[in-house]
Every structure is written in C-alpha cells, then in structure tokens.
C-alpha cells in the first residue's frame, strides 16, 4: 500500500484483524464514533489514513517510536546515505522474508508475531 492511499474498506480491515471499533480506532487516536463514521463512508483525512496504514497494515507500534528515532534516520540519510541505503535494504529484505516486524531491532530479539 502506498503512502496516503485511500483505505478502501476500513470496516473489513478491522474485521480481518479481529478488533472492535474502540481498539482499532483508538490505536490511531480516533474515537469509536469517529471511526464508525469513517466505516460508514465518510472520507478519512490523509493523516488518519496514513496512521491506519502504518498501525494496522504495516504493524507499526506507535508507542515504540521516539523523537530521537526520527533524528537518527534524518542524520543517517544526510551524513551517511550509503549506510542508510544499505540498512534500509537489509530491513526490507528481512521484512520480506518475514523475519522482523517494522520496528523490531536486533537487540530487541523480537520476531514477527503474525
């Protein structure tokens, strides 16, 4: 799924994940009633669509992201683009092989739980 693409059927996605509205929408900062409106056809703002994609499609745990993480990525992109490209490729390959989830790191020892 591409950045900011429309989520065709958020209700179906929620059902596939086995979540109630409160859990599904609450994990992206949307109230149950707001999520219900989106499930009924109301257009989602781009920011909400992207959060739904990141959390429920990509499996990103927002509680694990820290401000320093963004600073590190930006630093690597600017100061060490070759290293950033290499690390990015390694993560993509591992993700494709389902060896790690989007935020798993070697030191966490976590593996994909889906």
């Amino acid at each position: 799924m591409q950045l900011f693409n429309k989520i065709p059927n958020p209700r179906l996605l929620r059902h596939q994940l086995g979540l109630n509205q409160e859990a599904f929408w609450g994990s992206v900062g949307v109230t149950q009633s707001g999520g219900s409106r989106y499930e009924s056809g109301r257009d989602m703002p781009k920011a909400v669509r992207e959060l739904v994609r990141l959390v429920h499609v990509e499996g990103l745990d927002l509680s694990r992201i820290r401000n320093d993480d963004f600073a590190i990525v930006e630093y690597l992109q600017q100061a060490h683009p070759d290293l950033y490209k290499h690390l990015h490729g390694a993560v993509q390959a591992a993700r494709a092989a389902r060896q790690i989830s989007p935020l798993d790191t070697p030191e966490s020892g976590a593996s994909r739980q889906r």
Side-chain angles (χ1 to χ4, degrees), residues 22-71:
E22 186 176 350
F24 182 88
W25 293 106
S27 65
V28 296
V30 173
T31 64
Q32 179 275 324
S33 61
S36 178
R37 287 191 290 274
Y38 297 142
E39 290 183 13
S40 296
R42 184 174 180 184
D43 283 339
M44 276 187 272
K46 285 182 182 181
V48 173
R49 284 197 315 258
E50 187 60 7
L51 284 170
V52 167
R53 183 187 72 79
L54 288 170
V55 171
H56 297 299
V57 176
E58 299 293 332
L60 188 71
D61 181 355
L62 296 178
S63 68
R64 293 180 57 192
I65 299 175
R66 304 288 180 251
N67 194 34
D68 285 348
D69 296 331
F70 294 110

Side-chain angles (χ1 to χ4, degrees), residues 1 10-11 14 17 28 33 35 40 44-45 50 58 66 70 72 76 78 95 97 104 107:
M1 183 172 278
R11 179 179 288 137
R14 180 175 61 78
L17 295 171
V28 296
S33 61
S40 296
M44 276 187 272
E50 187 60 7
E58 299 293 332
R66 304 288 180 251
F70 294 110
I72 291 167
L76 278 173
Q78 293 175 2
R95 210 183 282 163
D104 286 341
E107 60 272 4

Side-chain angles (χ1 to χ4, degrees), residues 64 94 98-113:
R64 293 180 57 192
R98 295 192 157 268
Q99 294 175 352
I100 64 170
S101 70
L103 282 183
D104 286 341
T105 60
E107 60 272 4
S108 74
S111 62
R112 190 160 181 100
Q113 298 284 322

Side-chain angles (χ1 to χ4, degrees), residues 73-102:
V73 169
E74 187 176 335
Y75 173 79
L76 278 173
Q77 286 175 324
Q78 293 175 2
H80 302 283
D82 291 340
L83 177 58
Y84 174 82
K85 185 176 180 180
H86 173 74
L87 291 171
H88 187 270
V91 168
Q92 294 292 73
R95 210 183 282 163
R98 295 192 157 268
Q99 294 175 352
I100 64 170
S101 70

